[in-house]
Amino acid sequence: MLDRNRQALIDTARGLSETDARRRLVASLTTPIGLIKHAAAAERIWFQRTLLSLDESACDGHATGGDGSFVVADGETLADVIAEFERASGRSRVIAADFELDDTKAHPRAGDVSLRFIYLLLIEDFARHAGHGDILREQITAAR
């Protein structure tokens, strides 16, 4: 289900023009490309930082939440950001393979969390963001 929701999130933006992928239709920093960038950060936060206990500087990209996780550099393309998310997801799968579902690690705000908790949290999070992406894409398509 997590992989299904990862793909659903990508599908909300795939094929958009670079301009449309960056189009801001809400007051927040939420854009189609920004949602995927944010999801890559979430992968790192939960798998690299939480499960592996890596410092943010040791992660392979942005690994903190908040508005900064939605920021896409001017030189990054939609294809770049999708590839980044796919790489982060792939690394998450490799990391998770070394844990049992009920293995726990400490999280600074959530307390002790298991791999099962992380899977459920990201399934919910990516499904919600895919819904956001669907709505944004619908608005972009309707404006054409």
Side-chain angles (χ1 to χ4, degrees):
M1 190 57 66
L2 180 54
D3 280 338
R4 180 184 170 128
N5 289 343
R6 285 169 171 145
Q7 188 60 52
L9 181 55
I10 290 169
D11 289 346
T12 66
R14 192 182 301 278
L16 290 175
S17 70
E18 294 299 324
T19 300
D20 284 343
R22 287 174 163 71
R23 192 170 308 278
R24 283 188 59 191
L25 299 168
V26 294
S28 70
L29 296 176
T30 304
T31 62
I33 195 172
L35 285 167
I36 297 170
K37 189 76 168 185
H38 171 73
E43 294 274 359
R44 292 184 198 102
I45 290 166
W46 289 103
F47 289 94
Q48 295 177 35
R49 293 195 69 196
T50 302
L51 284 181
L52 290 184
S53 303
L54 295 179
D55 185 71
E56 183 183 7
S57 63
C59 295
D60 59 3
H62 188 90
T64 58
D67 286 349
S69 65
F70 288 88
V71 175
V72 179
D74 290 339
E76 289 180 290
T77 67
L78 179 58
D80 294 337
V81 173
I82 289 171
E84 174 189 351
F85 178 47
E86 290 173 334
R87 279 190 306 276
S89 298
R91 184 161 184 208
S92 295
R93 284 184 207 94
V94 170
I95 292 166
D98 288 335
F99 290 86
E100 297 295 325
L101 286 175
D102 293 321
D103 288 348
T104 60
K105 291 292 228 165
H107 184 273
R109 290 185 312 276
D112 286 342
V113 298
S114 65
L115 176 58
R116 183 186 317 272
F117 172 91
I118 293 168
Y119 280 156
L120 292 171
L121 180 119
L122 289 179
I123 288 167
E124 182 274 333
D125 192 46
F126 293 169
R128 182 169 22 90
H129 288 321
H132 297 147
D134 284 340
I135 291 168
L136 293 174
R137 187 170 191 124
E138 183 179 329
Q139 290 176 320
I140 290 165
T141 302
R144 288 188 188 144

